[in-house]
Amino acid sequence: ITVTLGLKKLFVPALVVLAIVAAAFIIWQFLPGKKVFKAPVIENSVAVISFENLTGEEKYDYYRRSIPNLLITNLENAGLSYVVSWERMQDLLKQTRRREGEIIESESGFEICRREGVQALVTGSINKAGDMFAIELRILDAETKRHIKTATSRGIGEQSIIETQIDELSREIAQGIGIAQNKIDESKIHISEVTTESMEAYNLYLKGVESYFKLYLDEAQRYLEEALSVDPAFASAYRILALVHHQAENPKAREEALIKAKAFSEKTAEKERLFIEATYAALVEADLDQSLNIYYRIIEKYPKEKRAYFWAGVSHYLRGDSDKAIEPFQKAIELDPDFGNALNMIAYSHSHQGDYDKAISYFEKYASVYPEQANPLDSLGDLYFIMGRLDDAIEKYKDALKIKPDFGSSLMLSYLYALKEDYAEALNWIDRYISKTASPGRKAGGHFWKGFYHYWLGNSEECFAEFQTAEDQAEQIKNQSLKAGIDALRGWVYYDRGDFDRSRQSFQRWHEAAAEQLPSFQKSLKALYLLYIGFVDLKQGQMDSAQSKVKQIESILSDIKLDNQNNFQNWMTLLKGELWLAKGSAQQAIAIAENIEAPPFHSYNMRSGQYILYNIPFLKDMLARAYIKNDEPDKAIAQYERLIAFDPQQEDRYLAHPVYHYRLAILYEEKGWEGKAMEEYEKFLALWKDADPEFTEVTDARKRLAALQ
């Protein structure tokens, strides 16, 4: 079908379309989301953006970032003006959504200046002719883009950049933005005196920092150690290396690095020196209050330093103040809405408070911003585990390992499969964790966990062999806290086996080592030691001694507040209940045990082997045994059924001890429920197929099962 249209009929609709387009354009100009925010101009402020590499050689591309970073550090330390840090510029660049990445081009730079209220923009280039390196910079008015000044510096060899050229150009910039010459002459513009004398070391350091904040610890350690091999007095590199060793559970190496960082800290910029002091206070002196005070000093002087807010939040968090941690984390996120580390930690803080919806939203934001990183997925796995969504947690941990096979999520996967009573998979994942990690501290922790699983399955020989491996490796790196944790767990293994002398000796070694490492926690450690020995006293029939321990513990607890108060109260209730049972008063045991509130489990605590102790005492069926003594078998059955079943609504994440199946099977058998009894006997015998022959439960279960069959 053909239709003939006159020119007017075509022209009128065209006018309508043009009018709509014009209106849309006018409206678009005034949309709030499209209007670039312009901050008030800060006097004598400057931003130094990426330099061009005009050498014609790709190997010098790293100068595009390192030269601006050095200029920024020099100018900031001189205190002559407000200098936008490289990281702050990256954050502002991300917020404009123009582009993301390390390189900051001129147009993006001008937009950053408008958003931050910066007066002058510095850009430039590096060139090379033979052995001569030449740096040219241009200073521009950020508002008008008017050229203010050009400056050039030349030197022979790469070393000239850090030896002379950065200082020369820093003075040119200060002069170009209007700083008086006498102030420039008096200022501390000497970059090699506050960083390093080696460009190679500096570039390796920048790579190490980048890897560390992705939590790619092996890569970070390699870059930082290479930087320090070039410049053994590079204080900033020692600080970040100490943080890497801290994450890798290598306290000896961490302390050595921090001692060196502090020794060389006079050769750092003021802000970096404060960061070193704060880190030293937290990780060497174990003084979180002092560390927190220093971070707030940094914030006072550098209010846009997001990492100071971040570490202040971490300090609150480590002190058990997750509610106080939220404010500095939130401030860090205001400065950089895509700050992955802060998104991660504020999510954990909300998780601590039970606000899982907020925690999920922050974790998901973290994952969406950094889809190529493993940590956001691992953190989501932690949260799903805390919420009881085990299959979702498993999926996230495995997704994290797809991105980075050595990330460490295997440790959590092993615990999840143990929680499902699939110990073959649990051991497979712990073996993978041990084989994939390069950190000796984490390897030792992996063997510690493996030893725990073997004992859980009744195999003392394999348990003690793994403990010895873990202890030997911990000794090599002087990880005294891990060695102490191994002694504590040995004490409980000996306790279960009835070897009371060795149990006491192990607990004594643990207490002495822990008290030496944590002198400010003497009272709480004493209370915990008395608790452990109280269980041993009771099992040996020394009821008066056990009762005395309870009174001593209560006296200590009246004076102090423990971070793990709920967990400690739970242990105390178990001990008191066992005392009542030993005295023959099942009703009294039931009365106190029925009100036990199991303490919450935070899966990120698994990163350290000491949290194996979360599952002590291994057998927590005191209430069920009290019901049996009180001739209430139905309640005892219900209690054992609760102990072997995973309940996502409960906050605890205890592993189900295999012996529960055996004791439940006996109750089923006594009720005449033969099918159920056989099922529980078979489950128990499958789990304890490699158990020590001296455990009478295995022999008895076989006889009972055979009789039922």
Side-chain angles (χ1 to χ4, degrees), residues 449-466:
W449 273 101
K450 191 174 180 180
F452 167 70
Y453 288 138
H454 278 304
Y455 186 71
W456 204 252
L457 300 175
N459 191 329
S460 302
E461 184 178 352
E462 290 288 341
C463 164
F464 287 128
E466 292 294 335

Side-chain angles (χ1 to χ4, degrees), residues 139-170:
I139 306 172
L140 306 169
D141 183 284
E143 175 67 23
T144 64
K145 301 183 183 180
R146 176 179 59 83
H147 176 268
I148 297 174
K149 183 175 184 176
T150 298
T152 303
S153 179
R154 295 179 177 83
I156 302 300
E158 287 185 73
Q159 277 303 103
S160 67
I161 295 172
I162 205 161
E163 288 174 353
T164 58
Q165 295 192 61
I166 294 297
D167 291 347
E168 291 173 7
L169 293 170
S170 298

Side-chain angles (χ1 to χ4, degrees), residues 31-42 45 88 92 95-96 109-120 141-145 304:
L31 281 176
K34 295 296 179 181
K35 187 176 180 180
V36 177
F37 173 77
K38 182 180 176 183
V41 174
I42 303 168
S45 55
R88 176 67 178 151
L92 290 165
Q95 291 170 41
T96 67
F110 284 120
E111 190 162 347
I112 287 168
C113 290
R114 286 193 292 273
R115 295 175 70 91
E116 192 73 351
V118 172
Q119 191 175 24
D141 183 284
E143 175 67 23
T144 64
K145 301 183 183 180
K304 294 187 178 181

Side-chain angles (χ1 to χ4, degrees), residues 50-51 61 64-65 86 90 93 99-105 108:
S50 301
F51 276 42
D61 279 349
R64 303 193 71 183
R65 179 168 68 135
W86 183 261
Q90 291 287 336
L93 181 60
R99 67 186 301 280
E100 295 185 18
E102 293 183 357
I103 305 305
I104 306 173
E105 307 292 355
S108 298

Side-chain angles (χ1 to χ4, degrees), residues 621-629 632 635-636 639-640 643:
D621 61 342
M622 180 268 293
L623 179 57
R625 287 184 284 109
Y627 284 135
I628 293 170
K629 273 199 172 184
E632 296 180 272
K635 286 187 177 180
Q639 179 66 6
Y640 275 120
L643 287 170

Side-chain angles (χ1 to χ4, degrees), residues 12-27:
V12 171
L15 286 175
V16 173
V17 171
L18 286 171
I20 292 171
V21 170
F25 178 76
I26 293 167
I27 293 169

